[in-house]
Amino acid sequence: MPLHSPLHIFAFMDERLQKLHVILKKYWGYDSFRPSQLDVISSVMDGRDTLALMPTGAGKSLLYQVPGIMCDGVCIVVTPLISLMKDQVDRLRRMGVSAAAVHSGLTRRQIDITLDNAAWGDLKFLYVAPERIAGDTFRTRLRSMNVSLLAVDEAHCISQWGYDFRPSYLRIAELRELIPDTPVLALTASATPLVAEDIMRHLRMDKGRIVRSSFARANLSYVVRKTDDKDGQLLRILENVRGSSIVYVRTREQTAKLAGWLREHGFDAEYYHGGMQAGERAGQQERWMHNPVGVMVATNAFGMGIDKANVRAVVHYDICDSLEAYYQEAGRAGRDGLRSYAVLLASSDDRGRAIKRFETEFPPLETVKRCYDALFDYLQIGLGDGKFATYSFNIHEFAARVHLFAGTVFNSLKILQQNGYLTLTGESDNPPRILFTVGRDELYRIRIEREELDNIIRTILRLYAGVFNDRMVSIDEGEIAHFAGYTVERVKELLKTLWQMRIIRYVPGNRSPLLILHEDRLPIGDVFVSPESYKIRKEMTADRIDAMYRYVSETGECRSAFLRRYFGEEAPEDCGCCDVCIEAKKRSAHGEPDMRGDIILMLRHGGLSVKQVVARFGVSPDKVLAAIDSLLADGTVKDAGGGIIELS
Ligand code: ADP
Ligand code: MG
């Protein structure tokens, strides 16, 4: 048989398909792929750049994990959340697959070891936080790696027009240049057609394919409840839920408050937000996971990567800023395929508050610049100075000092971040960081004069290269203690001494956000905020809020169809189980079809006599006549004389 006959290719395809199924069974225990999964996996294995647009719960992790296991080399996965990364790495390891992660919660040394492993060891999956890819260390090692696939999870973060833009995602394109022959797989559960296009452009997926699976969730009933008594409404909903649920609220304070109130009313309510200590958070989450009737009151920090299949209801106590966010959060209900509810509580003053928030989110550019100057003054940094400096930063303290609202400050800093001046990290477990502020000779002198400090300085120098450069270096106090033969407490004391002697700069480990400066301080006139990006982002945000409110006030279109159209599906069918569909069904069950609408349709092709119209409905003439009257009254229909009516 000639090598390239169709038959040969067919046999080859078949073999690959078999192998894929063997892997699926062996590692996951599943018998078959879901339809679009195979489509994406085949595309990737043919070496094509692919964008997979699939809803939450569709099984996107498998799309890179199966090819990653099957192909030679290491699969690099870019993903934004450290907790998610750890979770995935643990899961792969439990399946017997070697996997590791590099993120800012690790020390330089731990990162080095992991990257070595990826380059020369037998690592199959390397998870990377986006802010890690820019570093030289990573890029240098990447050249030594045999990369099978570059997977970009939550790929919408690359788009400024998306609802969750992260500037660090833009650096992923640079990776592509270093590994030009490696296919890219971009994954997201939320991309409008515009965002999808943006993802492809930024990731240079010129000949990329898009595989889109439907955003329909047959077992999910969408409901909007308009009420000015959200508490009462929430109680009634939760009383009717047989099973576990999530209640999303906007602020951290609300989580504890509402959970407490629900407990008073007999519910097993836990709460969760991003500002809690890791241990406390884990405890609340754990209890909820194992409680079949648990209620979790949380901010949007909760949920990504949480795999509880039997959530019966997701209630939004406050309105989201976008339908993308709403769809993701609501979608956490009913992953087991059983009937579940996504309920949104809307009150009459929601919109006013949304407009206020919107205004804070886009402070005037003068305010942004004022914030820039105030920040450098606050940090006591003069013109032409500050590049690479890192601070543990309390935004509330700063805001109070400069007499601005914390929200305004936060959003001003966000805009400065988008323009490359600084990074404000989220709250996370930040490792301690140090930097030597004296030269090597000076240090040598100190080591001789202050003998008690010699050991720790020597240990630091041995463990951490780069402490003399102008960047703060993450350290591991446990590691220093181990090598120097001290307790961790003693290490902390000694570091503090070094800091007091102005030998090092020292930021102890903490959970507060870090502020990292990327550029020296500029005269205020030279601070540049790209106006078009500011303006377009503002418009996009306004559009998203608008779409959200259209969803809330919609009474004519099926909610599921509304959402699917928003995400770019054409002509989606009605779900039959949302509040709009049910309302329509009720009307027809009571013998009250949408009579006005039907009459308008009848008259589309010309006038009819009232008698004819009545005859076409098989119901009592009174009702039809009433409908005709109302059409006449609002001027939709007019009397053409002789008992004939026609459209106005
Ligand atoms: P996503 O990232 O799209 O939200 P995940 O990758 O987290 O989804 O997968 C959701 C769940 O679906 C996981 O528990 C996963 O193991 C399961 N899953 C994925 N693919 C399959 C399959 N082919 N058959 C059965 N379960 C699957
Ligand atoms: Mg996922």
Side-chain angles (χ1 to χ4, degrees):
M1 193 168 60
L3 199 60
H4 292 296
S5 80
L7 256 182
H8 176 87
I9 290 171
F10 197 70
F12 162 76
M13 291 292 284
D14 222 24
E15 195 184 315
R16 186 166 87 186
L17 207 60
Q18 269 176 11
K19 267 194 189 157
L20 291 173
H21 279 92
V22 168
I23 288 177
L24 185 69
K25 186 75 189 169
K26 178 175 164 198
Y27 291 94
W28 281 270
Y30 299 148
D31 290 319
S32 58
F33 288 98
R34 293 169 179 162
S36 311
Q37 281 181 324
L38 214 46
D39 207 2
V40 175
I41 293 172
S42 306
S43 170
V44 166
M45 299 218 28
D46 290 339
R48 296 191 64 176
D49 293 342
T50 309
L51 168 60
L53 252 166
M54 296 181 180
T56 304
K60 288 189 289 299
S61 324
L62 239 72
L63 302 178
Y64 58 84
Q65 287 173 344
V66 171
I69 290 174
M70 191 149 148
C71 300
D72 278 342
V74 54
C75 169
I76 296 184
V77 187
V78 182
T79 179
L81 285 186
I82 297 181
S83 57
L84 248 152
M85 232 180 246
K86 287 180 180 157
D87 193 54
Q88 295 265 3
V89 167
D90 286 348
R91 249 185 240 196
L92 284 165
R93 285 183 181 165
R94 263 183 269 127
M95 296 183 343
V97 179
S98 60
V102 293
H103 50 73
S104 46
L106 301 176
T107 65
R108 184 68 172 266
R109 214 173 129 74
Q110 289 167 319
I111 291 175
D112 276 349
I113 293 170
T114 306
L115 291 179
D116 277 350
N117 248 323
W120 296 291
D122 59 350
L123 202 65
K124 290 303 288 174
F125 290 91
L126 178 65
Y127 284 78
V128 194
E131 66 275 7
R132 280 287 121 198
I133 34 194
D136 287 339
T137 334
F138 183 75
R139 298 163 61 114
T140 318
R141 287 312 167 57
L142 186 66
R143 290 204 193 90
S144 319
M145 290 181 207
N146 172 22
V147 184
S148 57
L149 173 66
L150 174 61
V152 182
D153 206 0
E154 313 293 346
H156 56 272
C157 293
I158 207 170
S159 172
Q160 287 209 58
W161 321 142
Y163 75 108
D164 193 13
F165 172 55
R166 295 168 192 241
S168 52
Y169 257 67
L170 291 171
R171 315 286 310 240
I172 302 173
E174 295 169 22
L175 287 192
R176 285 226 72 179
E177 281 160 22
L178 300 174
I179 42 170
D181 300 326
T182 306
V184 175
L185 171 59
L187 310 150
T188 176
S190 65
T192 55
L194 187 69
V195 171
E197 199 179 289
D198 214 27
I199 293 172
M200 308 272 285
R201 190 168 54 81
H202 280 305
L203 290 176
R204 322 228 164 115
M205 301 165 69
D206 305 334
K207 298 193 188 84
R209 268 191 71 201
I210 299 189
V211 179
R212 188 190 284 274
S213 70
S214 170
F215 279 62
R217 292 283 310 273
N219 64 315
L220 196 57
S221 293
Y222 293 101
V223 177
V224 174
R225 283 266 172 276
K226 293 181 186 130
T227 171
D228 282 331
D229 174 23
K230 289 190 178 181
D231 288 343
Q233 193 59 250
L234 178 65
L235 276 189
R236 278 193 289 284
I237 293 165
L238 293 180
E239 272 156 11
N240 285 311
V241 172
R242 274 187 223 101
S244 127
S245 52
I246 306 175
V247 179
Y248 279 109
V249 294
R250 183 171 280 278
T251 66
R252 291 173 172 182
E253 301 80 68
Q254 265 176 299
T255 58
K257 220 172 92 196
L258 195 57
W261 186 77
L262 286 173
R263 270 197 299 277
E264 282 168 26
H265 285 79
F267 292 98
D268 295 348
E270 316 288 342
Y271 67 97
Y272 185 107
H273 60 74
M276 288 158 72
Q277 291 293 320
E280 195 190 350
R281 237 178 341 177
Q284 304 264 0
Q285 181 174 329
E286 208 47 27
R287 279 197 297 281
W288 176 77
M289 285 296 282
H290 292 110
N291 186 346
V293 294
V295 180
M296 175 61 92
V297 185
T299 61
N300 61 5
F302 179 76
M304 247 206 227
I306 286 184
D307 204 357
K308 187 173 185 179
N310 60 348
V311 176
R312 288 280 71 83
V314 170
V315 182
H316 278 78
Y317 191 91
D318 293 306
I319 288 180
C320 300
D321 293 332
S322 68
L323 282 173
E324 285 92 330
Y326 181 67
Y327 182 87
Q328 290 248 12
E329 288 162 18
R332 293 183 183 129
R335 291 174 75 141
D336 56 6
L338 300 178
R339 171 62 50 214
S340 308
Y341 296 87
V343 188
L344 181 63
L345 301 179
S347 71
S348 44
D349 53 359
D350 281 340
R351 185 151 200 155
R353 264 180 289 175
I355 291 170
K356 251 218 186 93
R357 266 200 311 278
F358 173 73
E359 279 160 5
T360 334
E361 193 175 339
F362 291 93
L365 289 181
E366 304 83 75
T367 309
V368 176
K369 291 188 175 183
R370 201 176 121 211
C371 211
Y372 177 95
D373 251 3
L375 178 70
F376 281 94
D377 287 346
Y378 174 76
L379 299 172
Q380 303 185 350
I381 295 173
L383 282 179
D385 217 351
K387 190 166 180 173
F388 298 140
T390 302
Y391 302 86
S392 141
F393 188 69
N394 183 330
I395 201 161
H396 295 282
E397 201 179 292
F398 170 63
R401 186 81 74 81
V402 297
H403 307 295
L404 283 169
F405 287 120
T408 309
V409 170
F410 177 78
N411 287 298
S412 298
L413 294 181
K414 201 163 120 191
I415 290 165
L416 291 169
Q417 173 160 340
Q418 277 150 7
N419 283 272
Y421 290 110
L422 50 86
T423 298
L424 183 63
T425 70
E427 275 165 320
S428 59
D429 297 309
N430 294 308
R433 288 163 209 255
I434 61 164
L435 173 70
F436 277 101
T437 48
V438 297
R440 285 178 194 274
D441 294 343
E442 170 82 1
L443 195 61
Y444 188 70
R445 195 179 51 74
I446 296 166
R447 283 171 61 184
I448 291 170
E449 281 173 13
R450 299 286 299 260
E451 215 176 313
E452 76 280 13
L453 296 174
D454 179 54
N455 187 16
I456 186 150
I457 294 176
R458 198 154 30 89
T459 310
I460 293 172
L461 292 178
R462 194 151 50 104
L463 288 176
Y464 308 104
V467 277
F468 281 111
N469 301 344
D470 50 4
R471 222 180 250 261
M472 301 288 279
V473 169
S474 338
I475 55 167
D476 180 338
E477 285 153 347
E479 194 175 42
I480 297 176
H482 174 75
F483 282 100
Y486 293 134
T487 63
V488 175
E489 279 61 46
R490 178 75 184 134
V491 169
K492 287 186 180 163
E493 266 169 40
L494 288 169
L495 288 173
K496 216 158 163 197
T497 310
L498 291 174
W499 171 70
Q500 280 159 349
M501 293 172 67
R502 296 175 180 263
I503 297 170
I504 59 169
R505 240 200 259 160
Y506 173 45
V507 180
N510 57 49
R511 283 190 45 76
S512 74
L514 289 182
L515 179 78
I516 304 162
L517 301 176
H518 299 314
E519 300 292 339
D520 286 333
R521 179 175 185 173
L522 292 170
I524 195 67
D526 291 350
V527 174
F528 178 73
V529 172
S530 151
E532 66 270 31
S533 109
Y534 177 87
K535 190 164 156 275
I536 297 173
R537 279 181 57 74
K538 192 168 173 178
E539 281 167 17
M540 290 289 188
T541 305
D543 286 352
R544 273 196 295 274
I545 295 174
D546 234 43
M548 189 73 227
Y549 279 92
R550 264 185 285 125
Y551 175 83
V552 169
S553 52
E554 181 64 51
T555 52
E557 184 177 7
C558 158
R559 300 218 183 266
S560 162
F562 186 102
L563 289 167
R564 290 168 66 190
R565 262 196 317 107
Y566 182 76
F567 287 116
E569 282 183 55
E570 276 162 34
E573 71 282 2
D574 289 356
C575 70
C577 59
C578 68
D579 57 345
V580 174
C581 286
I582 296 210
E583 202 48 48
K585 271 190 201 164
K586 257 194 222 152
R587 275 202 309 267
S588 58
H590 289 130
E592 290 168 30
D594 181 10
M595 222 172 248
R596 286 168 48 99
D598 288 348
I599 296 171
I600 293 169
L601 280 179
M602 274 177 210
L603 297 175
R604 235 176 354 178
H605 304 298
L608 291 172
S609 73
V610 171
K611 222 167 150 185
Q612 278 172 311
V613 174
V614 170
R616 288 204 189 172
F617 288 97
V619 298
S620 96
D622 287 355
K623 284 190 173 147
V624 186
L625 289 173
I628 292 174
D629 275 345
S630 91
L631 286 167
L632 283 167
D634 64 19
T636 314
V637 160
K638 67 175 187 230
D639 186 350
I644 304 286
I645 52 169
E646 60 183 30
L647 292 180
S648 309

